[in-house]
Amino acid sequence: MKRALALAALCAAIVLPAAQAARSTTPDECEKLRLHGQSAQAQSCYESVARSSSAYLRAEGDWGLHLYEQANNEFRAAVAQNDSSALYRVRWGMLLHERFNNTDAEQLFKEALQRDPKDAQAYLGLALVSADGFDSKALQWTAKALELDPKLVAAHELAANLALEDSDPADAIQQADQALALASDALDAMAIHAAVELLADRSPDAWFAKISAVNPHYGEAYAIVAHHLVLNYRYDDAIAYYRKAVEADPQLWSARSQLGVNLMRLGEDDEASKQLMMCYDNGYRDAATVNSLRLLDSEKNYDVFHDGDAILKLNKSEADLLRPYFDDIIQRAMATYNKKYQMTLPGPVQVEAYSDHEDFAVRTLGMPGLGALGVTFGLVVVMDSPSARKPGDFNWASTLWHEMSHVYILTATNHRVPRWFTEGLAVHEETQADPEWGDPITPDIVVALRDKKLLPVTQLDRGFVRPDYDAQVVVSYYQAGKICDYIQSRWGNQKLLDMVHSFAHRTTTADVIQQDLGMSPEEFDKEFQAWLYQSLGAVPQNFDKWHDALKQLAADSEARNYDAVLKEGPEVVQLYPQYIYDANAYEFIAEADVAKGNKTAAAAELTDYEHQAGRDPDTLKELASLEQDLNEPQKAAATLNRINWIYPMDAEVHRQLGALWLSQHNYAGAVREFNAVVDMHPLDKASAEYDLAEAYYDSGQRDKAENCVLASLEAAPDFQPAQKLLLQLHGSQ
Amino acid sequence: MKLVQARFAAILVAALLIAVPARAGIYYVTVSGLAGESDYAQEFTQLANDLDKLLKSTGPDAHVYTLINATRAQLTQTLTRVDSQAKPDDDFVLILIGHGTFDGYQYKFNLVGPDITAQDLAKLCDQIPSKRQLIVNTTEASGGSVMALERRGRAVIAATKDGNEKNATVFARYFVQALHDPQADLDKNNAISAMEAFEYAQRHTADFYDSQKRLATEHAVFEDTGEHDPTRTPETDTGEGLFLSNFTLIHIGATQQAYNDPAKRALLAQKEDLERKIDTLKYHKAAMSQDEYKEQLTQALLELAKVQEQLNK
């Protein structure tokens, strides 16, 4: 939806030069010419408008001629001349919206509404701004625009677009038809029709023929279709349609930029770079273009490892450290999913982990939902590296496992799968891989459950794409995951697999529920929610009580009133056992236990924390320390190994785990851990190399042991333990 | 004390040629200044007390003075006392923990009551006869004190690169930790040099900000020639780092015993020859083939290990 038309209200007229015609013309006539592909005539028309004595009309003319700076200046002058005009502000806002400045655009639309509260175009402007961020207000603003002006074609087109984004093709068609009833040349409405057909795996040719009949160079229509293909994970198809868009209109920079962005998502960096540079050089410098180019420039900072069926891309500064851990999870995930989904991937999977969250954020720019930790584009997984976030913020292995599920499900369904199902299955798979992975239910979700805010399964996609409240995306992930847990527990794994196949055949959610689970979606919602609330017990109802009790517990702990902590703590845990986030009851109780000298009880408490998927590395380190004190080295090793899946950037954890595994004769494990210490380039290189040498020596790898011991002694020639090992290595030859 | 890492190779040979005077004793003055908030007060006091306990345990040669919530008068009095007791061959270490300010011209260490400027601190330290001095200023803006404090024979470590890094620092925490942590002894000679402690604290400070996903607001520097601008890393051209590498802060083992046994002097001489040989080998590493280097290094290290075995008997 590049530009809003509907300048019908504009009455201002200008006089064309004598050579043109002795009649007046208006910007909407110029736009009409452009819409119909009459570029030369449109150009002349805008040139005429740009010569007007009116600053406002000059702004419209300059805008039509792509002279954006001049247009901006003329709008400023027009507004200065006539402060009461809502129209000038709306049109100025539309220009800024088109030129990537939604902040100022929104402000101008609001100022316009202050001058004319019934300005439908201003509401349309607000809707366009909101739609860019997948904000649910887009729906409200569009409805308001249509309420004020039911004949506003662009608003119907936008409503159609929003409905299709929300996976409601029926409503999308209805809105598109209303636009077409008002204007037979509503090309964006036709594009929505084409997108609906394509998403349903039907031919869109008839609609594209209609579009071509009006304007054979209307690339925007293909771009609209491509946008919906992206939202439905069909990146290859989207790229094909963005190509059609720029073929039809080579100067459609917005489409070319998206072509570049999506090529980059699929790892086609060379062509992506060329397309994006072309946009940049031609003045199209929105955030997606600029940031993507910047990211492509930073490729030199990354190492790429090819390993048969997987490609791994890691920042050079941490590649040696992280590679064994990522390889482990990738290979385990592929072995698990190959078996479970009875398939193999058509090509190598590419995993990219970004140590700078901003680089990762560029990858997800313009995507709906959180996209906070990882995103899958076909066979390409991009995610935050463990170092990109604070220790304990997330379990990176669980995230990678989640994304790998998407790779399989998107492949298995040829990208025909509703968002709720692929996300739900991915969340479900996390805890299938390890019950201590995944994200335990957060207070936001508990509150949503308490307030009965779950969506019907047939509308669950909307919770991901256009949330109605702040936490709805997180709640939707949780709900979708629990739905898959429920289906597995009631009908077994095979039923989930059946649903994958059903979705692959373009069956709707309602039909899949009916066909595969033998009940209506309404019945399913009822039975699922009954199961869910039963499994949670009184946690939702107890939320306020828990909140107050935890506050008191925190105060008691702060005051070192350990008797009170030990007395009240267990009840706080009972009220909401899954709460393992900041200031949780488990840690308060364990601290009190330690203060009372009861290490056994403290270890038991922190073990419960661990089983509830607690993931603060410091807390887990404390548990490992307690386990060592209690002479339980195997438990301590298991606890420290768990930290590897959360925050493998702590050299001391690797060193301790290496030592524990060495003493337990787990030589391969010890070598991996001591190698990790070396790969972190510690200041104490001598000790790190010596530890590794010892592990190699004990595992019988004498050559490697000698190399490491020499490296140790090169750093510290007087290091006596290393000297002894060197003598041992040579003395026994 | 030898140099700490391979990258010092270029100045390493030169270092071996410099006769490091044997010190008679060492005077440590630790000052915890005005804390302001209670959290800082607790941390500064804890750090100063930890240091006090550690330094007093290092032996009879250590003369330890620790001031908590110090006033300017107490600081002046203590430094004057050191002035009257210390000999030229005694080392002197002043560690400042707390807050500092820099107004673009003058650095001040915050004390209870009137503060003290870097210039006034320098004057007090100038009176102390010790030929080898070290000042570790761990406060914010401490980089603004280096120019006033530096002189030949005195190394200065500052927690911030200049006077404009004005957020509270964590450098002190890790500098003190370095003296407790055997891992700070990078060359495994049972002693922690000022350079080893600096590098340890510098790395851990950077790791702290990194793990907290916070922009680092402190960048520690040192100056130990008395002639140059402060730097963050040793520099071959200027010799920055040499003095700090040779300045032993604490011994963590019993190496000294061997030096007192006349029967082992020949072995010690042999050991020093081998160490010198290894250092020279490392210096020429880039010019040698990998195999040749490995063979010669292995041979020298084996000989050194055998000598150490003899020494240990």
Side-chain angles (χ1 to χ4, degrees):
Chain A
M1 303 285 163
K2 191 178 165 196
R3 289 188 58 177
L5 280 172
L7 291 174
L10 182 66
C11 297
I14 58 165
V15 177
L16 282 172
Q20 293 271 328
R23 68 174 187 83
S24 61
T25 190
T26 57
D28 61 335
E29 288 174 343
C30 303
E31 188 60 29
K32 200 82 171 172
L33 289 169
R34 189 203 295 277
L35 188 70
H36 284 253
Q38 295 168 277
S39 303
Q41 293 92 326
Q43 177 83 4
S44 300
C45 183
Y46 280 121
E47 283 170 358
S48 300
V49 174
R51 286 194 291 271
S52 163
S53 58
S54 152
Y56 164 67
L57 287 172
R58 286 199 300 276
E60 290 284 1
D62 287 340
W63 184 4
L65 296 169
H66 308 295
L67 303 171
Y68 302 112
E69 275 302 315
Q70 287 96 316
N72 188 45
N73 291 337
E74 295 291 5
F75 272 125
R76 185 174 289 113
V79 165
Q81 285 165 12
N82 184 359
D83 185 58
S84 63
S85 168
L87 173 69
Y88 293 0
R89 281 183 157 76
V90 169
R91 294 298 297 160
W92 192 6
M94 290 292 189
L95 168 70
L96 295 182
H97 165 66
E98 187 181 309
R99 299 306 295 170
F100 337 121
N101 183 353
N102 272 342
T103 307
D104 288 345
E106 185 178 10
Q107 184 59 32
L108 283 163
F109 296 136
K110 287 178 176 171
E111 288 174 11
L113 286 171
Q114 285 167 1
R115 284 153 181 81
D116 179 5
K118 292 189 174 179
D119 191 317
Q121 293 278 355
Y123 281 111
L124 175 62
L126 287 173
L128 287 166
V129 168
S130 297
D132 275 0
F134 295 95
D135 187 333
S136 63
K137 283 185 186 145
L139 298 168
Q140 298 166 31
W141 298 135
T142 308
K144 187 72 181 170
L146 286 170
E147 181 191 319
L148 291 165
D149 182 359
K151 293 184 177 178
L152 191 53
V153 173
H156 284 293
E157 289 179 320
L158 178 58
N161 199 47
L162 294 172
L164 195 53
E165 284 183 353
D166 287 348
S167 307
D168 190 345
D171 189 30
I173 287 171
Q174 193 186 5
Q175 290 291 345
D177 284 344
Q178 287 186 44
L180 285 164
L182 291 163
S184 61
D185 59 357
L187 297 182
D188 288 355
M190 294 180 201
I192 293 293
H193 267 291
V196 169
E197 295 305 302
L198 200 59
L199 290 175
D201 283 342
R202 297 187 295 263
S203 170
D205 290 352
W207 285 104
F208 281 118
K210 288 181 186 181
I211 292 166
S212 288
V214 177
N215 179 357
H217 301 293
Y218 194 66
E220 185 68 17
Y222 297 106
I224 289 170
V225 171
H227 168 73
H228 288 283
L229 289 167
V230 168
L231 291 186
N232 284 275
Y233 312 111
R234 291 168 59 176
Y235 302 105
D236 284 323
D237 293 341
I239 285 172
Y241 272 86
Y242 279 126
R243 287 192 197 284
K244 286 173 193 266
V246 298
E247 191 184 334
D249 180 357
Q251 294 192 334
L252 188 57
W253 305 116
S254 56
R256 194 175 290 282
S257 169
Q258 281 303 307
L259 172 60
V261 166
N262 283 284
L263 282 166
M264 188 176 79
R265 284 171 176 162
L266 295 193
E268 303 285 342
D269 289 357
D270 288 345
E271 196 194 343
S273 182
K274 281 180 197 156
Q275 297 291 352
L276 290 163
M277 273 311 295
M278 209 186 297
C279 295
Y280 188 89
D281 290 343
N282 282 281
Y284 192 82
R285 296 173 185 180
D286 68 329
T289 305
V290 175
N291 289 334
S292 297
L293 280 169
R294 201 168 285 149
L295 181 61
L296 286 166
D297 275 350
S298 73
E299 293 297 304
K300 60 182 179 297
N301 300 328
Y302 288 82
D303 280 332
V304 179
F305 305 97
H306 295 260
D307 181 18
D309 44 10
I311 300 167
L312 181 59
K313 186 170 154 187
L314 297 166
N315 192 289
K316 285 180 193 296
S317 65
E318 57 187 25
D320 290 341
L321 168 68
L322 295 181
R323 189 180 172 194
Y325 301 97
F326 272 74
D327 280 345
D328 183 6
I329 296 296
I330 292 168
Q331 293 306 326
R332 277 165 54 193
M334 289 176 80
T336 302
Y337 291 140
N338 282 346
K339 190 175 170 191
K340 189 165 188 173
Y341 296 117
Q342 298 159 25
M343 61 178 286
T344 52
L345 296 173
V349 64
Q350 178 165 326
V351 175
E352 304 174 5
Y354 289 92
S355 54
D356 183 342
H357 177 71
E358 294 309 313
D359 286 346
F360 168 70
V362 172
R363 288 293 216 183
T364 59
L365 204 68
M367 302 291 289
L370 277 185
L373 300 171
V375 176
T376 299
F377 303 105
L379 294 175
V380 178
V381 170
V382 296
M383 61 183 288
D384 271 334
S385 150
S387 65
R389 290 174 169 269
K390 284 169 75 171
D393 259 12
F394 79 127
N395 179 320
W396 69 267
S398 185
T399 298
L400 178 52
W401 198 274
H402 175 115
E403 297 304 328
M404 290 292 289
S405 165
H406 286 316
V407 172
Y408 278 78
I409 297 304
L410 292 178
T411 301
T413 60
N414 197 19
H415 302 75
R416 273 84 169 161
V417 59
R419 190 170 292 267
W420 76 265
F421 186 69
T422 185
E423 291 298 354
L425 210 46
V427 171
H428 167 76
E429 291 294 358
E430 289 180 66
T431 46
Q432 291 295 298
D434 187 332
E436 294 174 7
W437 285 5
D439 294 308
I441 184 169
T442 62
D444 281 346
I445 300 171
V446 175
V447 169
L449 288 166
R450 182 196 65 188
D451 298 343
K452 311 283 185 196
K453 284 186 168 179
L454 296 185
L455 288 168
V457 64
T458 52
Q459 295 175 33
L460 191 47
D461 273 1
R462 190 161 56 77
F464 291 93
V465 176
R466 208 176 310 285
D468 285 331
Y469 55 94
D470 283 349
Q472 193 171 27
V473 174
V474 178
V475 173
S476 299
Y477 271 91
Y478 174 80
Q479 182 180 348
K482 285 294 170 190
I483 285 176
C484 292
D485 289 348
Y486 172 62
I487 291 169
Q488 188 216 31
S489 70
R490 180 165 167 182
W491 289 281
N493 264 326
Q494 185 56 42
K495 198 58 82 177
L496 288 169
L497 198 56
D498 292 346
M499 292 174 76
V500 171
H501 292 142
S502 298
F503 281 123
H505 290 97
R506 296 284 344 144
T507 315
T508 63
T509 292
D511 289 344
V512 168
I513 300 282
Q514 186 68 56
Q515 171 191 310
D516 290 327
L517 305 181
M519 62 177 68
S520 70
E522 294 74 22
E523 282 176 293
F524 177 81
D525 285 332
K526 193 174 162 190
E527 294 188 21
F528 159 66
Q529 292 197 23
W531 172 85
L532 177 64
Y533 279 99
Q534 189 182 13
S535 70
L536 286 168
V539 170
Q541 297 95 301
N542 283 337
F543 182 78
D544 292 337
K545 186 177 174 188
W546 165 80
H547 190 255
D548 293 343
L550 184 65
K551 268 172 73 177
Q552 182 57 48
L553 198 67
D556 287 336
S557 181
E558 174 81 21
R560 301 185 183 182
N561 186 355
Y562 295 127
D563 289 331
V565 170
L566 291 174
K567 185 174 172 225
E568 304 299 336
E571 193 193 335
V572 181
V573 168
Q574 279 302 111
L575 288 170
Y576 180 179
Q578 302 91 338
Y579 184 76
I580 48 79
Y581 301 100
D582 287 348
N584 62 76
Y586 296 105
E587 289 181 64
F588 290 135
I589 298 170
E591 186 189 348
D593 282 325
V594 169
K596 294 280 185 185
N598 190 347
K599 289 186 177 181
T600 305
E605 200 62 39
L606 294 183
T607 301
D608 286 347
Y609 165 85
E610 186 181 31
H611 291 335
Q612 290 289 351
R615 61 185 179 217
D616 177 59
D618 286 340
T619 307
L620 294 172
K621 277 157 72 178
E622 192 183 337
L623 172 59
S625 169
L626 287 165
E627 286 166 336
Q628 291 209 63
D629 291 348
L630 295 168
N631 200 24
E632 295 180 312
Q634 288 187 325
K635 282 187 181 176
T639 301
L640 291 172
N641 190 37
R642 184 170 151 65
I643 298 174
N644 279 330
W645 311 127
I646 298 166
Y647 191 71
M649 321 305 292
D650 185 333
E652 186 54 24
V653 169
H654 291 299
R655 198 193 62 72
Q656 284 185 25
L657 180 55
L660 280 166
W661 272 345
L662 191 60
S663 67
Q664 293 164 25
H665 310 297
N666 176 358
Y667 300 121
V671 164
R672 187 185 76 176
E673 293 307 307
F674 288 136
N675 248 321
V677 181
V678 171
D679 290 337
M680 293 183 81
H681 308 291
L683 274 177
D684 188 0
K685 185 183 174 190
S687 292
E689 292 283 3
Y690 168 70
D691 287 341
L692 182 55
E694 243 198 331
Y696 277 133
Y697 183 79
D698 286 0
S699 66
Q701 300 180 75
R702 297 174 66 92
D703 286 351
K704 288 182 177 175
E706 173 152 356
N707 285 337
C708 292
V709 84
L710 285 175
S712 171
L713 287 168
E714 185 184 34
D718 292 318
F719 189 22
Q720 292 192 30
Q723 287 179 335
K724 282 179 190 164
L725 183 55
L726 182 66
L727 288 172
Q728 254 176 296
L729 278 160
H730 282 260
S732 56
Q733 272 181 349
Chain B
M1 173 62 55
K2 294 191 304 301
L3 300 168
V4 289
Q5 286 196 342
R7 70 167 181 270
F8 297 149
I11 56 173
L12 207 131
V13 174
L16 292 165
L17 301 175
I18 295 169
V20 178
R23 74 174 176 214
I26 182 164
Y27 285 79
Y28 300 99
V29 178
T30 302
V31 188
S32 154
L34 181 68
E37 295 172 26
S38 62
D39 283 353
Y40 288 129
Q42 194 178 350
E43 183 179 357
F44 297 162
T45 304
Q46 174 86 36
L47 289 172
N49 283 333
D50 281 357
L51 262 183
D52 184 72
K53 190 174 168 190
L54 175 74
L55 298 174
K56 281 176 176 164
S57 70
T58 57
D61 292 340
H63 307 274
V64 181
Y65 299 91
T66 303
L67 306 174
I68 309 275
N69 291 326
T71 63
R72 181 175 174 141
Q74 288 169 332
L75 175 58
T76 304
Q77 189 181 19
T78 303
L79 293 179
T80 305
R81 184 181 302 167
V82 173
D83 166 28
S84 65
Q85 294 174 347
K87 309 269 186 306
D89 287 342
D90 292 329
D91 286 351
F92 167 65
V93 180
L94 172 64
I95 299 173
L96 304 175
I97 299 169
H99 296 300
T101 55
F102 183 69
D103 60 9
Y105 170 68
Q106 210 170 44
Y107 168 87
K108 286 181 183 172
F109 178 59
N110 297 164
L111 293 160
V112 177
D115 297 336
I116 187 165
T117 65
Q119 285 80 359
D120 288 344
L121 256 179
K123 278 181 202 164
L124 288 167
C125 293
D126 286 348
Q127 291 169 17
I128 294 172
S130 299
K131 286 187 286 189
R132 288 160 38 92
Q133 300 189 3
L134 168 66
I135 299 178
V136 184
N137 188 350
T138 68
T139 75
E140 61 268 38
S142 49
S145 69
V146 178
M147 290 294 277
L149 294 173
E150 70 177 38
R151 70 158 206 196
R152 205 165 171 77
R154 179 188 298 149
V156 182
I157 289 173
T160 71
K161 65 183 176 193
D162 53 34
N164 295 317
E165 291 189 322
K166 294 182 175 175
N167 290 330
T169 61
V170 296
F171 183 81
R173 186 185 307 171
Y174 297 113
F175 193 86
V176 173
Q177 188 175 303
L179 303 185
H180 286 81
D181 188 349
Q183 287 187 38
D185 176 21
L186 302 182
D187 60 4
K188 307 300 172 195
N189 67 345
N190 291 324
I192 294 173
S193 71
M195 179 57 83
E196 285 173 329
F198 172 80
E199 291 208 314
Y200 180 99
Q202 188 185 42
R203 169 71 77 96
H204 282 75
T205 299
D207 288 349
F208 168 81
Y209 287 100
D210 201 33
S211 71
Q212 297 294 310
K213 299 295 158 216
R214 285 166 53 186
L215 199 62
T217 52
E218 57 186 294
H219 301 85
V221 294
F222 66 85
E223 205 295 311
D224 64 352
T225 64
E227 296 171 354
H228 300 107
D229 290 335
T231 178
R232 290 178 53 69
T233 53
E235 289 176 5
T236 309
D237 296 346
T238 59
E240 290 282 0
L242 190 55
F243 182 95
L244 280 182
S245 298
N246 284 320
F247 198 110
T248 298
L249 269 173
I250 58 165
H251 287 282
I252 55 174
T255 46
Q256 212 52 42
Q257 289 171 6
Y259 290 89
N260 297 333
D261 183 352
K264 292 185 174 173
R265 279 189 188 145
L267 281 170
L268 283 169
Q270 197 180 344
K271 184 182 172 196
E272 283 175 10
D273 279 349
L274 283 165
E275 287 170 345
R276 195 174 294 118
K277 182 178 176 184
I278 290 164
D279 286 337
T280 307
L281 198 58
K282 282 156 71 176
Y283 182 64
H284 292 295
K285 181 179 182 178
M288 298 170 75
S289 76
Q290 207 174 335
D291 287 346
E292 189 187 5
Y293 175 74
K294 184 179 174 186
E295 190 184 331
Q296 290 190 31
L297 180 70
T298 305
Q299 197 52 44
L301 287 170
L302 276 168
E303 285 178 42
L304 181 62
K306 285 172 186 165
V307 169
Q308 187 62 53
E309 253 188 349
Q310 297 294 313
L311 280 166
N312 289 345
K313 283 179 183 169

